[in-house]
Amino acid sequence: MIVQMKKGATKDEVDHIQKYLINKGFGIKDASSDEVTLFGVLGDVKSLDPTQLRVFSGVENVTRISSPYKLASKAFKKEPTIITLKNGVVIGGDDFVVMSGPCSVESEEQLRIIAKAVKDSGSNVLRGGVFKPRTSPYAFQGLGIEGLKMMRKVADEFGMAIITELMGTEHIDEFVKYVDIIQLGARNMQNFDLLKAVGKTNIPVLLKRGLSATIEEWLMSAEYIMASGNDQVILCERGIRTFEKYTRNTLDISAVLAVRELSHLPVIVDPSHAAGKWEMIESLSLASLAVEADGIIVEVHHDPENALSDGAQSLKPHKFEHMMDRLEKASTVFSKQLKR
Amino acid sequence: MIVQMKKGATKDEVDHIQKYLINKGFGIKDASSDEVTLFGVLGDVKSLDPTQLRVFSGVENVTRISSPYKLASKAFKKEPTIITLKNGVVIGGDDFVVMSGPCSVESEEQLRIIAKAVKDSGSNVLRGGVFKPRTSPYAFQGLGIEGLKMMRKVADEFGMAIITELMGTEHIDEFVKYVDIIQLGARNMQNFDLLKAVGKTNIPVLLKRGLSATIEEWLMSAEYIMASGNDQVILCERGIRTFEKYTRNTLDISAVLAVRELSHLPVIVDPSHAAGKWEMIESLSLASLAVEADGIIVEVHHDPENALSDGAQSLKPHKFEHMMDRLEKASTVFSKQLKR
Amino acid sequence: MIVQMKKGATKDEVDHIQKYLINKGFGIKDASSDEVTLFGVLGDVKSLDPTQLRVFSGVENVTRISSPYKLASKAFKKEPTIITLKNGVVIGGDDFVVMSGPCSVESEEQLRIIAKAVKDSGSNVLRGGVFKPRTSPYAFQGLGIEGLKMMRKVADEFGMAIITELMGTEHIDEFVKYVDIIQLGARNMQNFDLLKAVGKTNIPVLLKRGLSATIEEWLMSAEYIMASGNDQVILCERGIRTFEKYTRNTLDISAVLAVRELSHLPVIVDPSHAAGKWEMIESLSLASLAVEADGIIVEVHHDPENALSDGAQSLKPHKFEHMMDRLEKASTVFSKQLKR
Amino acid sequence: MIVQMKKGATKDEVDHIQKYLINKGFGIKDASSDEVTLFGVLGDVKSLDPTQLRVFSGVENVTRISSPYKLASKAFKKEPTIITLKNGVVIGGDDFVVMSGPCSVESEEQLRIIAKAVKDSGSNVLRGGVFKPRTSPYAFQGLGIEGLKMMRKVADEFGMAIITELMGTEHIDEFVKYVDIIQLGARNMQNFDLLKAVGKTNIPVLLKRGLSATIEEWLMSAEYIMASGNDQVILCERGIRTFEKYTRNTLDISAVLAVRELSHLPVIVDPSHAAGKWEMIESLSLASLAVEADGIIVEVHHDPENALSDGAQSLKPHKFEHMMDRLEKASTVFSKQLKR
């Protein structure tokens, strides 16, 4: 951390903040020139809040030079984190993993139709919402624990793993019992109680990027989970909020590259929520493969007109099959392979 | 809701979607011209998701013409909602209410020093965090329920009401027992489980706007609370996330005007989190008074250098006193009055 | 255009605005229900500003249902626009066109080294800035017309076409004489005088998307050029400004898909300015190919350490060669082909 | 400027970049610790582009510690810049200056009606567009030089100064002849040719903030004008582009405070373009007074229904009069005074 003093800062002001830091156990390394008083703060500055140091009289600004996360950082662990699910699916290795299924679980029958279709097309992880974060209190809120049991049952019939969103700490025991991956939604990316709670389980966690979360904040949320003891975190880029409204969100495809530079954690893409339009899913999935994401999570519904949520961004099974064909073919020229 | 069909849409496509809507109990009002096929959907369309209708073949786009919230809307209730706390503070009437106190409750002594100072300056609502949403897992996380009891004790000594943030449903009973206003933070604005939970209490709720929440989404979150039975909601504008990084967030002062146009709920401003710099607080508070917000919530600390959080945006007591003097004087020329 | 009146709007208010519209030659189509007064405006509403109608007393809101651009729209012209340069390069057809070269033209020697390298790797369009839009008045501003002549000379040696940025109307005659494609930069996307001026030439124009331009505004700027008589417009997505600062801008890869849905104009991607980091260029170029953009424009420099601008986002020739190899291989599985 | 090397950076890499800097005439100040290699660059680093240094092998990141502008900076000139117009209006002193008039000059008669009204209400600077930057090529583009002459004539009748937007360098001589303040619009904030051109005149320039310009970029554009020789620059905050669409733009009221902290230049607010709704103008003007801006620029039209542009954000004369009454009264409690 670098502290720069204001032009007219007095010797007393410089002494005051330096003493404060020394008392806290940090070292000081002077780097002043004729024009500016400047010093580095040495030691483990992770717990030191740069904005806090700006409080001191005479301070111009404070710049962090190391990342505020540790466990999630590539500096801490060089090799990529590889997560193996019970049904054998491997995330973070050489495979391009496709998670797919309906936005909401609506009935056992609906789920079975869709699960069969996506499994036939080569997807081995079944997604589906049973607790739904809906903007409107008047919209369908999900089937709850009953839906969770349906997912487990149907997935087992097809040898699939399941992923579903946990919205609060209340149902965590049932999630640990039933699911293969716990999903934390964009709106809960900084629900710190929830981050700590899933950090105490040993179930892989898919952490979606918040609507307006920086990459650093996203990795800090991963750090929360890991600091609580669970290092099986999968990151998921799902589009960020910008001024552009033609798409539901703006897919930040470069974020996949950024995360791979900064962290050892696997990262997948959710083109369905990013675009909000089924017509764009196939192309954005191919782009995700091209930047060597570890996979995608895609919404599929056999009857989007009657879907209880997100119909407009759901692929029909034959479109999904078409996309899987293209991904399989395209994966031959990229580093990640689509196994079907 | 208006449905516009694509240029080449067939009669079958038009019939298909109209039948679907009629079966759901809605009426159809044709508004087509020579150039375009267009129709209105009549009835209570609140539960109808416009994106869902875009799924239908031949549909170009779907436009909502009424707001998706009802209870929070001025169309539903014309008179302003006025909330009276146990200690007599009235929010939403003619008063400009100043809530103030430390970012974090650190000790009973710290809290008493600050409470005395702000009370002496004319503030009657004590703010203070006991559960802290911190970006870093390595930062101070708050004193928890012990801190809550301290707040109640100290506030009672000075005849003040208290407001503090609830981060999860686990502690809701204790909040109901001890606090006068439950605060929901920006990061939890769309924590729907939490919205429903506080909606089942009869304690006033201060709902901060999410970092990237539209005004409509913010009012929808208020609607969640109200639809669960609690109509005592206070909105709080606290800055939104934009590309500009000079301030911590960008205070959207126009949002106060927007909310007053759309809703009957009171709205206050949090200049501390918006600016992130104590130097800006006084001016932004005066601007909040000038747009006739119902009040402000401000961070105050007697020793910001040693504050455990948010020191850089905390006013010292004598600066707070100065701000209160200016607000009192300025309130003589605006519609809201600062009573001290 | 749909006009919705406020709940309590009087008959006089409805009559007043309808008469205004009828006097202007528009037709009225009533679409009111019991709950709401609503009508469509018929005729060529392109010149009608929806915000203007909100002025009328009693109007709640006004919704445009057709796009405000015409010549740039797919509704106007279904087949893709294909642009053929003098050296035979075809943009908008089956080829994936790679434009490349230094950020700034620094000297004839520098340009020749880079031109030879990129030509050898299979690029047939040479980019290079001679008038530079620099944030700082103290930064290198470009070689001007001398640089332009160098570009023409060097490009001719290698049989390449040239593209360079025009910053003002002053030099337009020289641009018409020397360049194959006139580039309009992001900061000038709504420099309407410039749009009209290049619209009066018969030189293809590459129109970069503005930093915070919506897709609709971008197409409106293309419309300006086309309405002035020049229909050879190439769109270029180069990243938009968002809250995320890890990359220089946020590449909006979905915009390529949006443009292809809305317009017949070709669209390419500029990964160099989007990312601002050379490490990301190759992957983002592959993603551009995967979404079937018509090409890319990429910065290359043989000595980035001594480049006068944008060194950090320039590829060295051997990295460029590596990228071209990967693009060529990858293009075998996508619809656009890289010819070398 | 601080350069931080990567963890494994070699001695050769460190030597290489340091030699490069020393050769350019800069000094080096080592600030390394056991954990990190770090050094400061001494000298006039204004011309040094931090992104350029990131090109060097082994560099982790480069941080600027001084502002990239000089003439516009408070560090360069402590006293506020005060600009006096020919008719005696003083901008940047103790007055709260109100500039007002129609969006577009439509006819001499229209202009005279509005000028008389705003003058009667106490405004002494007449605004009006004669070259209009319109998103659509099909919208009214302004009366051009004829309109400019009308403005001068009408303003002289009432003893008013005039301000109008210059869109290109072509008409600069006529502007110098006729106008009192040259306005540069948001879309031209980084039209560097235009910045240099007005910098060579001795006419005060009002520089609007770009739609997505950071405060630093805005000040850099002021620096362009000043570096060309004209130090009479007035800054104008007019709202920035964000995800929120309820208002036309988001008024960044804190930017007024930021500019006053960083620069000696006067700063005014344009609430009309920020909000896009006349209903919000009065409140936002009062907020501008409360944060002690140097004034406002407001759109007024006597017949908004028939205005050729921006009717929805124009105040009628009696509303303008009401606003001026409130501003006059309110100015008694703030530091800036409204003289009428």
Side-chain angles (χ1 to χ4, degrees), chain C residues 71-128:
Chain C
L71 305 174
S73 164
K74 222 179 189 169
F76 177 74
K77 173 168 179 283
K78 286 237 168 324
E79 329 73 66
T81 287
I82 294 177
I83 294 169
T84 305
L85 305 183
K86 281 178 204 152
N87 73 336
V89 167
V90 178
I91 301 163
D94 296 332
D95 293 349
F96 188 76
V97 176
V98 179
M99 309 180 185
S100 59
C103 177
S104 296
V105 174
E106 299 167 13
S107 72
E108 194 174 312
E109 193 200 350
Q110 168 243 24
L111 195 60
R112 188 171 290 110
I113 293 169
I114 297 171
K116 183 176 186 322
V118 296
K119 174 72 183 179
D120 284 351
S121 293
S123 172
N124 294 306
V125 183
L126 183 64
R127 63 147 289 151

Side-chain angles (χ1 to χ4, degrees), chain B residues 55-114:
Chain B
V55 172
F56 284 78
S57 173
V59 170
E60 175 79 23
N61 64 52
V62 182
T63 311
R64 223 172 42 207
I65 55 170
S66 54
S67 73
Y69 46 86
K70 180 187 162 197
L71 305 174
S73 163
K74 223 180 190 168
F76 177 74
K77 174 168 177 283
K78 286 236 169 326
E79 329 73 65
T81 287
I82 293 176
I83 294 168
T84 305
L85 306 181
K86 280 179 205 154
N87 74 335
V89 167
V90 177
I91 301 162
D94 297 332
D95 293 350
F96 187 76
V97 175
V98 179
M99 310 180 185
S100 59
C103 176
S104 295
V105 174
E106 299 167 11
S107 71
E108 193 175 312
E109 193 200 349
Q110 168 243 25
L111 194 61
R112 188 171 289 110
I113 292 170
I114 297 171

Side-chain angles (χ1 to χ4, degrees), chain A residues 16 51-52 55 134 136 138 141 187 190-192 196 212 217 220 223-224 241 304-307 311-312, chain B residues 16 20 51-52 55-56 134 136 138 141 187 190-191 196 212 217 220 223-224 241 304-305 307 311-312:
Chain A
H16 182 60
T51 63
Q52 185 57 23
V55 172
R134 302 302 297 273
S136 166
Y138 309 117
Q141 308 274 319
R187 285 165 187 77
Q190 293 191 318
N191 181 335
F192 300 112
K196 289 179 200 169
S212 61
E217 289 168 340
M220 284 304 282
E223 185 84 4
Y224 254 96
R241 181 156 280 184
E305 291 186 1
N306 291 299
Chain B
H16 182 61
Y20 168 89
T51 63
Q52 185 56 24
V55 172
F56 284 78
R134 303 302 297 273
S136 167
Y138 309 118
Q141 308 274 319
R187 285 166 187 74
Q190 293 190 318
N191 181 334
K196 289 180 201 170
S212 61
E217 288 168 341
M220 283 305 283
E223 185 85 4
Y224 253 96
R241 180 155 277 184
E305 291 185 1

